[in-house]
Amino acid sequence: MVSSIRPPAPRPCESCPYRRDVPAGIWAGNEYEKLRRYDADTPAQPPRVFQCHQTDADNDSRRVCAGWAGCHDGDSLLALRLAVLQGRVDSATYRAVVDYTSPVPLFSSGGEAADHGLTHLDTPADDARHMIDKISRTRQDLQ
């Protein structure tokens, strides 16, 4: 049985890499690089739905990243289309992603979010270190 991915949260989480107010350098470089690939033309995009970083990778409460939904045109997301065909996203979740509008400012593209996030990757500021510690306590799969 394929597990279902839930709709995005009402607002992107406080550590979402798409949020303009999140400190740089809190995620690994390869996590930021993933963001760029969703800016490509639909056929060249990754086939996997970008999920919220706040839940464990093997957790049943996985949901679509609200920042990803707010940054990109949902109708043009290859991963979202494939997830519907695979039964991993139902029609209500699909509609929630397509219609999603973030209540907080987001970067205008995955590339812009990645560029920001990769700054200070080796020397995160105090606010970034605080957020890294908080994420480490929340995500048991990162221990």
Side-chain angles (χ1 to χ4, degrees), residues 20-94:
R20 289 187 169 276
D21 62 349
V22 171
I26 64 169
W27 298 105
N30 65 324
E31 292 299 311
Y32 288 115
E33 289 300 337
K34 288 178 186 178
L35 307 180
R36 296 181 198 285
R37 298 181 4 222
Y38 292 99
D39 293 343
D41 290 337
T42 303
Q45 292 174 10
R48 295 186 53 100
V49 171
F50 196 81
Q51 297 175 41
C52 179
H53 282 87
Q54 286 295 327
T55 55
D56 293 346
D58 57 353
N59 190 322
D60 286 336
S61 65
R62 294 172 300 165
R63 63 174 46 225
V64 173
C65 170
W68 182 73
C71 179
H72 299 285
D73 172 12
D75 282 326
S76 297
L77 289 168
L78 174 66
L80 189 59
R81 294 178 186 182
L82 292 174
V84 170
L85 292 173
Q86 296 163 347
R88 299 192 67 204
V89 166
D90 61 24
S91 61
T93 297
Y94 176 86

Side-chain angles (χ1 to χ4, degrees), residues 129-140:
R129 288 180 191 278
H130 174 73
M131 195 160 291
I132 291 167
D133 290 342
K134 189 173 181 179
I135 294 164
S136 296
R137 289 190 303 272
T138 303
R139 290 273 308 266
Q140 297 304 309

